[in-house]
Amino acid sequence: MVRNLVLGDAEDARRAAEEVAAGCAVVHGFANFYALTARADRAVVERVNRLKGRPAGQTGCVTTVPAAVPALFDWTRLPAELPRRQVRSLMEELYGLGPFGFRGPAAERLPEHLTAVRDGVPTVQVIAPGRVCPSNAFFAAALERTGAEFLFITSANRSRQLPHWRAEGVAADFGREPETRVLAHADDVAARHGYPHHEPVSTSVVSFHRAAGRGRSGLPALTLERQGSLSADHIRSIAANHGFALALAPGAAPRPQPRVYLPTPGAPRA
């Protein structure tokens, strides 16, 4: 059996990056849970979508190293009510806390299979783990080896199931899949405890391609598209410090609970 690579080990990160460059998918630690990252080519995205059990043509999300996140958006298409400087400062604070997702106007060079038209605007959804996560070193190595500026990313779970936050879960679901490798947290419980404000579920996603009216405070509102790891109340309080209200998207699902694992005989409890 092939051993899991370890996130935070420089040599293992290099090996995982080489797997990505070769067209494989890598299931890896991502803040306090697990994500699945691969090259952003259409064929690879479609293969990973099928691997997860969802439609091959489903629009992909992207990730990159922290410094390159802003370049994935077309800042000239922001509504006048949402000043660029304030949106950028909000991004900085939220990524300083941990994993988060943003949807905004897509940079023109992004391919169609990674963009979705919302309210008449081509948008991209960027998911990143926050500034302190060791997965950033893996991303940097993968970008260097692929010659790309972004990668495809999705949560590490089968379709309609909760994301994994323990290595044995992702190994059971994906470890025997061809062209797939696991880059595991060195300590899953420590990784979870390292983000006290975040649940180990898919990231919350805020969109800024349009203003969602004004909040009760009179501030222009951003939209919380997906309730995820960081609570709506926490996001709302941070957004207010940057001059924004927060509106919940119509039909947005409730915040999910973390995946629960059956106890393994003899293993310590999380």
Side-chain angles (χ1 to χ4, degrees):
M1 181 175 179
V2 178
R3 74 170 181 89
N4 291 341
L5 304 177
V6 178
L7 189 66
D9 181 287
E11 179 60 21
D12 281 358
R14 182 192 64 79
R15 291 177 60 191
E18 289 173 351
E19 298 277 6
V20 170
C24 295
V26 173
V27 181
H28 60 91
F30 180 92
N32 58 351
F33 69 112
Y34 280 82
L36 193 160
T37 293
R39 286 195 332 229
D41 313 15
R42 183 187 293 272
V44 176
V45 172
E46 291 179 350
R47 179 171 62 79
V48 172
N49 280 340
R50 288 192 294 268
L51 173 67
K52 289 189 58 167
R54 62 190 192 183
Q58 184 166 322
T59 302
C61 300
V62 301
T63 195
T64 190
V65 292
V69 167
L72 298 175
F73 299 107
D74 182 353
W75 296 96
T76 68
R77 301 195 68 165
L78 258 63
E81 307 96 308
L82 306 179
R84 178 190 309 190
R85 185 189 310 182
Q86 290 169 227
V87 174
R88 293 278 296 271
S89 66
L90 174 63
M91 272 187 178
E92 289 290 325
E93 182 166 356
L94 287 169
Y95 280 137
L97 275 182
F100 208 82
F102 284 96
R103 179 183 298 281
E108 287 189 6
R109 66 188 178 283
L110 292 176
E112 288 186 357
H113 65 280
L114 299 176
T115 63
V117 176
R118 300 287 179 86
D119 305 299
V121 179
T123 66
V124 61
Q125 185 166 292
V126 179
I127 307 294
R131 295 193 171 276
V132 301
C133 181
S135 63
N136 286 310
F138 158 58
F139 291 156
L143 292 169
E144 180 182 1
R145 282 158 179 77
T146 58
E149 58 178 314
F150 53 84
L151 301 162
F152 165 59
I153 191 166
T154 182
S155 55
N157 56 278
R158 301 294 186 180
S159 183
R160 304 184 186 280
Q161 296 183 10
L162 290 167
H164 286 286
W165 61 271
R166 284 170 50 167
E168 63 264 33
V170 291
D173 268 3
F174 299 105
R176 294 181 176 84
E177 292 287 349
E179 300 182 75
T180 304
R181 287 300 305 270
V182 175
L183 179 66
H185 285 302
D187 184 328
D188 290 321
V189 175
R192 179 171 180 177
H193 290 167
Y195 297 86
H197 303 298
H198 298 73
E199 291 286 2
V201 297
S202 294
T203 62
S204 304
V205 177
V206 162
S207 64
F208 58 88
H209 62 283
R210 69 174 182 87
R214 292 187 177 271
R216 295 172 63 181
S217 61
L219 296 174
L222 304 172
T223 301
L224 180 58
E225 284 195 2
R226 183 173 73 197
Q227 299 195 76
S229 58
L230 193 61
S231 74
D233 287 343
H234 202 138
I235 300 167
R236 186 174 289 110
S237 66
I238 294 173
N241 292 335
H242 296 269
F244 299 116
L246 189 70
L248 185 62
R255 189 185 189 194
Q257 294 298 309
R259 181 188 282 262
V260 175
Y261 295 88
L262 294 175
T264 301
R269 297 186 66 180

